[in-house]
Amino acid sequence: MCGIVGYTGARPVKDILIEGLTRLEYRGYDSAGIAVEQDGALRVVHCKGKVSGLARLVEPLDLAGTCGIGHTRWATHGRPSEANAHPHTSCDGHVAVVHNGIIENFAELREELEARGHAFSSETDTEVVAHLVEEAYAESRDLLEAVREATERLIGAYAVAVISDQEPGTVVAARKDSPLVVGLADDGAYVASDIIAMIDATRDVAVLADGDFAKLEPSGATFFNVRGEAYEPEVTHVDWDLDVAEKGGYPDFMMKEIHEQPRVIRDTLAGRLVNGALSIDELDLSPEELNLIDRVCVIACGTSYHAGLIAKNLIEGWARSPCEVEAASEFRYRNPIITPSTLVVAVSQSGETADTLAAIRDARVKGAKVFGITNVVGSPVARESDGVIYTKANKEIAVASTKSFLGQVVSLTLLAMLLAQAKGKLKTNQVHLLFHELADTAEQVERILADTAAITQAARACKDASSALFVGRGMGAAIACEGALKLKEISYLHAEAYPAGEMKHGPIALIDEGFPVIAVATKSPVYDKLVSNLQEAKARGAMIVAVATEGDEDIRAHADHVVYIPKVRDAFSAVTASVPLQLVARAIAVERGCDVDQPRNLAKSVTVE
């Protein structure tokens, strides 16, 4: 969602803030701003639009201060505008605040503050924090204490960084249900919502725990728990290289990350087959406990939800255990049936997704074991789950997830195999065979990426359409859902996904001459049924793009464009068939002149409900 960066130390802060905000652009945003403490006053600059526009505003200004905070905003309360851009300041101008999350009781707080004479200059929920800190500071004359008192009034999720010209050189940070990390360096102290914002300056970071505070000064940072007691945090040394945040010669991050998927498959599978049997020690459940699991519930949002749909097919097919896939945003509001014998699997690329975190907490209250699948070490989903598989995708910059999705699919496939192994539904030799076939998909994805000419042709044929229909049957129906989402996200071309057999129950009314129907038509037990559905669409003038299995020449009689992929077991078709759909979506978006890395209105990490 939004991005936070802050610094205090010996270096001029202006460039540190701009560079940090630039590194956070991948999260998605609509405005940006900074506040610098200098010469006994706060200087605030913010604007609607890109960080590059903010940099142009800041460049000619004499901002030589060494303490400041910055922010990129994704609008929740209040439209994207300069007035609503962070940082927000108090009435007296002595306090500046940046904030991620949502303050649910802001309307009530605003009404109270206005009744006491405070004047607001924005429509945001965040501005109440600045005024609350202002009031508390007037009493305590201590910025840390003032922030602590202010946050006690807040209901909802927040990560905040606060500065005041009354305490030069000090940044106070606090968090609840929204991530915040503190960087420790010889030249000062840093705070950010993501490690990448400070990676040039330091690799030593401490994750601020829920309800805790940090006081940053040029000499370092002091950490306090919710009771106000100082403590020594666990410091993590980040060992991934900066080049994961660079394009590496590709035209955009999305293309780079699509090409990284074979490595993600290999890394996610590394060390998972031990003495011929699957090993996922992180699950922290014995085979006997796994055998007692009578139901699996996957909770996720967006792309991760589609990974869950794929997992449902595998868990029910192999382990013969009922599996439900729930949109995390709906899960806790419908009083779901969860028991101690239910395994809840929470899937989140960022590990920050607010809806998924809320669902985890609800499931744990009901006594379920919760297992997380995420890409981010130490993320809230990882910390609040009983066990976790990391997808080994490394940093994903493009907003539309590709390599993280494939990592999730592979991880969920492992989980399905493990459950089947524990329940005796798959024998050791079967698990061994399946594992090696899954590992082979890395090479098969490389083959797909080596020849994309057919994908380019299909994309050019679709680029001027106003809508598209993605179809499949069986596993292909789940894959089609992800294909449609990718196209919507980055090309702004309306797309829907349906099980192919459902076309005649409504969606076929949309089809006229030249209407794109993109089909997952790989060889499977329902291949003949799928072909019949394509004939129905073709008879009504549809332009068919088929993702088909190598060697299938018969499909050419039913499709205008065919993208061939290597033959794999149907259970693993999601790994291979998803890749051409990613490439088709990207190619159409490029043809339409869209920014594939930062699509409009979207954010990489959705940390609000």
Side-chain angles (χ1 to χ4, degrees), residues 378-400:
S379 61
V381 164
R383 293 197 303 273
E384 297 196 29
S385 298
D386 298 299
V388 63
I389 289 181
Y390 291 113
T391 55
K392 307 291 180 67
N394 286 348
K395 179 64 66 177
E396 188 173 62
I397 303 299
V399 168

Side-chain angles (χ1 to χ4, degrees), residues 12-15 17-18 32-39 42-47 53-65 82:
V13 74
K14 176 180 73 172
D15 291 340
L17 297 179
I18 294 297
I34 65 171
V36 176
E37 178 252 306
Q38 180 175 330
D39 300 327
L42 297 182
R43 300 188 65 180
V44 179
V45 184
H46 45 207
C47 68
L54 176 66
R56 286 192 293 272
L57 291 175
V58 168
E59 182 60 32
L61 302 179
D62 178 25
L63 294 178
E82 181 177 345

Side-chain angles (χ1 to χ4, degrees), residues 579-593:
V579 176
L581 296 184
Q582 295 168 351
L583 290 166
V584 165
R586 181 197 166 275
I588 291 173
V590 170
E591 290 285 342
R592 292 164 68 94

Side-chain angles (χ1 to χ4, degrees), residues 511 513 533-542 544:
I511 294 176
E513 197 66 35
N533 300 138
L534 294 186
Q535 289 171 332
E536 294 168 354
K538 188 68 173 173
R540 289 156 177 82
I544 307 293

Side-chain angles (χ1 to χ4, degrees), residues 351-418:
E352 303 173 0
T353 311
D355 296 311
T356 305
L357 284 168
I360 285 174
R361 291 160 189 160
D362 190 57
R364 296 194 72 170
V365 167
K366 291 178 166 64
K369 278 283 189 181
V370 177
F371 189 52
I373 294 179
T374 182
N375 188 40
V376 181
V377 176
S379 61
V381 164
R383 293 197 303 273
E384 297 196 29
S385 298
D386 298 299
V388 63
I389 289 181
Y390 291 113
T391 55
K392 307 291 180 67
N394 286 348
K395 179 64 66 177
E396 188 173 62
I397 303 299
V399 168
S401 178
T402 53
K403 63 177 182 175
S404 288
F405 167 74
L406 226 59
Q408 291 170 351
V409 170
V410 172
S411 298
L412 287 164
T413 302
L414 285 174
L415 179 60
M417 291 165 62
L418 182 71

